[in-house]
């Protein structure tokens, strides 16, 4: 095993400090406050020195997104326990955990899920939320979704779900779950997309304060939405 040198340890420690201060600026003052100059001031170094670690402010923001998604994945993983619990409740638990995390971390949510993909994601065009959602909720839904109750895909001849099917297959593979062929049918992918679109939409409206009316019981509306979606795909 290669021994980590003192210089490498110091570089790793400085990198962690940079990310720590960047995250603190994000949480305390929003995305616009995360600048290399502000971080350099916090660390007592010159702004050009930070270019030894990050090529640009955007590069640092992308790293922050990675860190945030790692934290979110840990939160959602807790919703999968215990593993022998009813799958419907496990699906609901993951969805509720995502909503709670978003409401408690509005600045992190805004950076990861409210920024153009080209600015915050190294994989051009890849939606961070879709990746997190499919990784955790996709496999669960495939366990119990009733194929007989799946809605047909509208305009099936014009919609291409090949990318989404590939991402779903990767999500199953990452969890070590053998996927039956019907779990990757266009109808199943369409059902999953309906879930994450409506889940993300509801949460984003709450986080950004964009509900078109005063909502005193958003949690009740959220649970009602989950139950409605569950019925549509046979998750009784």
């Amino acid at each position: 095993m290669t021994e980590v040198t003192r210089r490498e340890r110091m570089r790793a420690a400085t990198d962690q400090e940079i990310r720590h201060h960047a995250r603190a600026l994000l949480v305390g003052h929003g995305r616009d406050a995360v600048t290399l100059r502000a971080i350099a001031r916090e660390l007592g170094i010159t702004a050009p020195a930070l270019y030894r670690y990050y090529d640009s402010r955007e590069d640092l923001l992308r790293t922050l997104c990675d860190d945030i998604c790692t934290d979110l994945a840990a939160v959602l993983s807790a919703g999968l326990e215990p593993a022998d619990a009813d799958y419907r409740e496990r699906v609901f638990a993951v969805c509720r955990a995502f909503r709670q995390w978003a409401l408690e971390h509005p600045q992190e949510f805004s950076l990861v899920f409210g920024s153009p993909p080209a600015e915050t994601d190294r994989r051009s065009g890849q939606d961070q939320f879709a990746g997190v959602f499919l990784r955790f909720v996709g496999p669960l839904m495939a366990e119990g979704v009733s194929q007989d109750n799946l809605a047909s895909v509208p305009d099936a001849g014009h919609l291409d779900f090949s990318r989404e099917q590939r991402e779903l297959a990767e999500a199953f593979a990452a969890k070590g779950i053998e996927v039956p062929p019907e779990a990757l049918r266009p109808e199943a992918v369409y059902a999953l997309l309906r879930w994450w679109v409506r889940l993300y939409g509801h949460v984003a409206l709450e986080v950004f304060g964009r509900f078109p009316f005063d909502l005193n019981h958003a949690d009740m509306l959220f649970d009602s939405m989950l139950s409605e979606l569950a019925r549509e795909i046979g998750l009784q």
Side-chain angles (χ1 to χ4, degrees):
M1 180 179 297
T2 304
E3 183 179 354
V4 178
T5 66
R6 179 174 180 273
R7 183 175 181 178
E8 290 171 332
R9 290 196 300 271
M10 291 179 63
R11 179 179 176 83
T14 301
D15 183 40
Q16 285 298 319
E17 276 195 88
I18 293 171
R19 289 151 73 172
H20 170 77
H21 286 296
R23 187 81 168 262
L25 287 169
L26 172 69
V27 172
H29 306 285
R31 171 184 171 148
D32 290 344
V34 183
T35 66
L36 297 183
R37 186 178 299 277
I39 295 168
R41 187 165 53 247
E42 292 284 341
L43 294 176
I45 61 177
T46 63
L50 292 183
Y51 286 103
R52 300 173 188 169
Y53 298 87
Y54 296 96
D55 295 334
S56 64
R57 174 177 179 268
E58 288 68 29
D59 186 29
L60 174 57
L61 289 176
R62 284 190 287 267
T63 299
L64 273 186
C65 283
D66 291 342
D67 290 345
I68 292 168
C69 283
T70 297
D71 293 346
L72 174 57
V75 170
L76 298 186
S77 292
L80 299 176
E81 303 298 336
D84 59 351
D86 177 80
Y87 63 79
R88 179 181 183 273
E89 289 308 313
R90 292 166 69 203
V91 170
F92 281 20
V94 170
C95 292
R96 289 170 182 144
F98 173 73
R99 173 177 175 260
Q100 188 63 36
W101 174 87
L103 293 175
E104 293 174 356
H105 301 83
Q107 295 292 359
E108 288 99 324
F109 177 90
S110 179
L111 176 65
V112 176
F113 304 121
S115 302
E119 295 183 14
T120 57
D121 200 326
R122 293 183 176 87
R123 298 160 297 173
S124 179
Q126 171 67 44
D127 189 302
Q128 292 264 25
F129 179 76
V132 172
F133 180 81
L134 290 177
R135 177 181 172 188
F136 290 96
V137 180
L140 285 173
M141 290 184 62
E143 289 179 26
V145 66
S146 171
Q147 298 297 324
D148 294 335
N149 290 345
L150 289 177
S152 59
V153 179
D155 298 325
H158 303 286
L159 294 179
D160 179 11
F161 287 118
S162 58
R163 191 189 77 175
E164 288 78 7
Q165 287 173 298
R166 182 172 64 254
E167 290 177 352
L168 182 56
E170 291 172 355
F172 278 111
K175 298 296 291 184
I177 299 173
E178 293 186 9
V179 183
E182 58 269 19
L184 295 178
R185 289 167 51 200
E187 292 83 1
V189 175
Y190 176 61
L192 286 170
L193 290 175
R194 279 177 54 79
W195 268 80
W196 77 254
V197 165
R198 292 189 62 183
L199 174 62
Y200 173 48
H202 180 108
V203 171
L205 286 171
E206 277 198 85
V207 173
F208 298 137
R210 296 299 184 182
F211 270 116
F213 51 86
D214 291 334
L215 192 62
N216 297 320
H217 301 290
D219 53 343
M220 295 175 62
L221 179 61
F222 186 76
D223 281 349
S224 176
M225 178 192 70
L226 293 183
S227 297
E228 178 184 338
L229 286 167
R231 286 193 298 271
E232 287 183 7
I233 60 173
L235 279 175
Q236 302 297 334

Short mmCIF file of all heavy atoms in Angstrom, two decimals, residues 181-202:
data_model
loop_
_atom_site.label_atom_id
_atom_site.label_comp_id
_atom_site.label_asym_id
_atom_site.label_seq_id
_atom_site.Cartn_x
_atom_site.Cartn_y
_atom_site.Cartn_z
N PRO A 181 -37.43 -8.42 -16.39
CA PRO A 181 -37.57 -7.62 -17.63
C PRO A 181 -38.74 -6.65 -17.58
O PRO A 181 -38.63 -5.53 -18.09
CB PRO A 181 -37.78 -8.70 -18.71
CG PRO A 181 -37.11 -9.92 -18.16
CD PRO A 181 -37.36 -9.87 -16.68
N GLU A 182 -39.85 -7.02 -16.94
CA GLU A 182 -41.02 -6.14 -16.94
C GLU A 182 -40.78 -4.86 -16.14
O GLU A 182 -41.47 -3.87 -16.33
CB GLU A 182 -42.24 -6.87 -16.37
CG GLU A 182 -42.08 -7.40 -14.96
CD GLU A 182 -41.56 -8.84 -14.94
OE1 GLU A 182 -40.99 -9.27 -15.96
OE2 GLU A 182 -41.73 -9.51 -13.91
N ALA A 183 -39.77 -4.88 -15.23
CA ALA A 183 -39.48 -3.68 -14.44
C ALA A 183 -38.87 -2.57 -15.29
O ALA A 183 -38.84 -1.42 -14.87
CB ALA A 183 -38.55 -4.02 -13.29
N LEU A 184 -38.38 -2.93 -16.48
CA LEU A 184 -37.78 -1.94 -17.36
C LEU A 184 -38.65 -1.65 -18.57
O LEU A 184 -38.20 -0.98 -19.50
CB LEU A 184 -36.39 -2.42 -17.82
CG LEU A 184 -35.35 -2.55 -16.71
CD1 LEU A 184 -34.04 -3.09 -17.29
CD2 LEU A 184 -35.11 -1.22 -16.04
N ARG A 185 -39.88 -2.13 -18.55
CA ARG A 185 -40.80 -1.81 -19.64
C ARG A 185 -41.05 -0.31 -19.66
O ARG A 185 -40.99 0.36 -18.63
CB ARG A 185 -42.13 -2.55 -19.45
CG ARG A 185 -42.05 -4.05 -19.69
CD ARG A 185 -43.31 -4.71 -19.18
NE ARG A 185 -44.52 -4.07 -19.69
CZ ARG A 185 -45.71 -4.19 -19.12
NH1 ARG A 185 -45.85 -4.91 -18.03
NH2 ARG A 185 -46.77 -3.59 -19.64
N PRO A 186 -41.37 0.26 -20.83
CA PRO A 186 -41.66 1.70 -20.89
C PRO A 186 -42.75 2.12 -19.91
O PRO A 186 -42.68 3.21 -19.34
CB PRO A 186 -42.10 1.90 -22.34
CG PRO A 186 -41.39 0.83 -23.10
CD PRO A 186 -41.38 -0.35 -22.17
N GLU A 187 -43.75 1.26 -19.69
CA GLU A 187 -44.83 1.60 -18.77
C GLU A 187 -44.30 1.76 -17.34
O GLU A 187 -44.74 2.64 -16.60
CB GLU A 187 -45.92 0.53 -18.79
CG GLU A 187 -46.70 0.45 -20.09
CD GLU A 187 -46.00 -0.38 -21.15
OE1 GLU A 187 -44.89 -0.91 -20.87
OE2 GLU A 187 -46.55 -0.50 -22.25
N ALA A 188 -43.34 0.89 -16.95
CA ALA A 188 -42.78 0.98 -15.61
C ALA A 188 -41.94 2.25 -15.46
O ALA A 188 -42.00 2.94 -14.43
CB ALA A 188 -41.94 -0.25 -15.31
N VAL A 189 -41.15 2.56 -16.48
CA VAL A 189 -40.34 3.77 -16.44
C VAL A 189 -41.23 5.01 -16.40
O VAL A 189 -40.96 5.97 -15.67
CB VAL A 189 -39.39 3.82 -17.65
CG1 VAL A 189 -38.64 5.13 -17.69
CG2 VAL A 189 -38.41 2.65 -17.61
N TYR A 190 -42.30 4.98 -17.17
CA TYR A 190 -43.24 6.09 -17.18
C TYR A 190 -43.83 6.31 -15.79
O TYR A 190 -43.97 7.44 -15.32
CB TYR A 190 -44.34 5.82 -18.20
CG TYR A 190 -45.44 6.85 -18.24
CD1 TYR A 190 -45.17 8.18 -18.57
CD2 TYR A 190 -46.77 6.50 -17.96
CE1 TYR A 190 -46.19 9.13 -18.61
CE2 TYR A 190 -47.78 7.44 -18.00
CZ TYR A 190 -47.48 8.75 -18.33
OH TYR A 190 -48.49 9.69 -18.37
N ALA A 191 -44.18 5.21 -15.12
CA ALA A 191 -44.73 5.32 -13.76
C ALA A 191 -43.71 5.94 -12.81
O ALA A 191 -44.05 6.80 -11.99
CB ALA A 191 -45.15 3.94 -13.27
N LEU A 192 -42.46 5.51 -12.91
CA LEU A 192 -41.43 6.07 -12.05
C LEU A 192 -41.22 7.55 -12.31
O LEU A 192 -41.06 8.34 -11.38
CB LEU A 192 -40.12 5.32 -12.27
CG LEU A 192 -40.04 3.91 -11.68
CD1 LEU A 192 -38.80 3.20 -12.16
CD2 LEU A 192 -40.06 3.97 -10.16
N LEU A 193 -41.24 7.93 -13.58
CA LEU A 193 -41.06 9.34 -13.91
C LEU A 193 -42.20 10.19 -13.35
O LEU A 193 -41.98 11.32 -12.88
CB LEU A 193 -40.97 9.52 -15.43
CG LEU A 193 -39.70 8.98 -16.08
CD1 LEU A 193 -39.79 9.10 -17.60
CD2 LEU A 193 -38.47 9.70 -15.56
N ARG A 194 -43.41 9.65 -13.39
CA ARG A 194 -44.54 10.37 -12.80
C ARG A 194 -44.30 10.60 -11.31
O ARG A 194 -44.61 11.66 -10.77
CB ARG A 194 -45.84 9.59 -13.02
CG ARG A 194 -46.43 9.78 -14.40
CD ARG A 194 -47.68 8.92 -14.59
NE ARG A 194 -48.69 9.12 -13.57
CZ ARG A 194 -49.53 10.15 -13.54
NH1 ARG A 194 -49.47 11.07 -14.49
NH2 ARG A 194 -50.43 10.26 -12.58
N TRP A 195 -43.74 9.60 -10.63
CA TRP A 195 -43.46 9.74 -9.22
C TRP A 195 -42.46 10.85 -8.97
O TRP A 195 -42.70 11.75 -8.16
CB TRP A 195 -42.91 8.42 -8.66
CG TRP A 195 -43.96 7.53 -8.10
CD1 TRP A 195 -44.79 6.72 -8.80
CD2 TRP A 195 -44.30 7.38 -6.72
NE1 TRP A 195 -45.63 6.06 -7.94
CE2 TRP A 195 -45.35 6.44 -6.66
CE3 TRP A 195 -43.81 7.92 -5.53
CZ2 TRP A 195 -45.92 6.04 -5.45
CZ3 TRP A 195 -44.38 7.53 -4.33
CH2 TRP A 195 -45.44 6.60 -4.31
N TRP A 196 -41.31 10.81 -9.65
CA TRP A 196 -40.29 11.79 -9.29
C TRP A 196 -40.65 13.19 -9.77
O TRP A 196 -40.28 14.18 -9.13
CB TRP A 196 -38.90 11.35 -9.70
CG TRP A 196 -38.45 11.44 -11.12
CD1 TRP A 196 -38.30 10.42 -11.99
CD2 TRP A 196 -38.01 12.61 -11.82
NE1 TRP A 196 -37.81 10.88 -13.19
CE2 TRP A 196 -37.61 12.21 -13.11
CE3 TRP A 196 -37.92 13.97 -11.47
CZ2 TRP A 196 -37.15 13.11 -14.06
CZ3 TRP A 196 -37.44 14.87 -12.43
CH2 TRP A 196 -37.06 14.44 -13.70
N VAL A 197 -41.39 13.31 -10.86
CA VAL A 197 -41.81 14.64 -11.31
C VAL A 197 -42.75 15.28 -10.29
O VAL A 197 -42.60 16.45 -9.91
CB VAL A 197 -42.49 14.56 -12.69
CG1 VAL A 197 -43.25 15.85 -13.00
CG2 VAL A 197 -41.46 14.30 -13.78
N ARG A 198 -43.71 14.51 -9.81
CA ARG A 198 -44.68 15.08 -8.86
C ARG A 198 -44.04 15.28 -7.49
O ARG A 198 -44.33 16.28 -6.80
CB ARG A 198 -45.90 14.18 -8.77
CG ARG A 198 -46.73 14.19 -10.06
CD ARG A 198 -48.04 13.47 -9.91
NE ARG A 198 -48.91 14.11 -8.92
CZ ARG A 198 -50.10 13.65 -8.56
NH1 ARG A 198 -50.57 12.53 -9.15
NH2 ARG A 198 -50.83 14.26 -7.67
N LEU A 199 -43.18 14.37 -7.07
CA LEU A 199 -42.50 14.52 -5.79
C LEU A 199 -41.60 15.76 -5.82
O LEU A 199 -41.67 16.62 -4.93
CB LEU A 199 -41.67 13.27 -5.50
CG LEU A 199 -40.77 13.32 -4.27
CD1 LEU A 199 -41.59 13.51 -3.00
CD2 LEU A 199 -39.94 12.04 -4.18
N TYR A 200 -40.78 15.86 -6.84
CA TYR A 200 -39.88 17.01 -6.97
C TYR A 200 -40.67 18.30 -7.08
O TYR A 200 -40.33 19.31 -6.45
CB TYR A 200 -38.98 16.81 -8.19
CG TYR A 200 -38.13 18.00 -8.53
CD1 TYR A 200 -37.38 18.65 -7.55
CD2 TYR A 200 -38.04 18.45 -9.85
CE1 TYR A 200 -36.58 19.74 -7.89
CE2 TYR A 200 -37.25 19.54 -10.17
CZ TYR A 200 -36.52 20.18 -9.20
OH TYR A 200 -35.74 21.25 -9.53
N GLY A 201 -41.75 18.28 -7.87
CA GLY A 201 -42.55 19.49 -8.04
C GLY A 201 -43.14 19.98 -6.74
O GLY A 201 -43.09 21.18 -6.43
N HIS A 202 -43.70 19.07 -5.96
CA HIS A 202 -44.30 19.46 -4.68
C HIS A 202 -43.24 20.04 -3.75
O HIS A 202 -43.44 21.11 -3.16
CB HIS A 202 -44.97 18.25 -4.02
CG HIS A 202 -45.60 18.57 -2.70
ND1 HIS A 202 -46.96 18.64 -2.51
CD2 HIS A 202 -45.05 18.85 -1.49
CE1 HIS A 202 -47.22 18.96 -1.26
NE2 HIS A 202 -46.07 19.08 -0.61
#
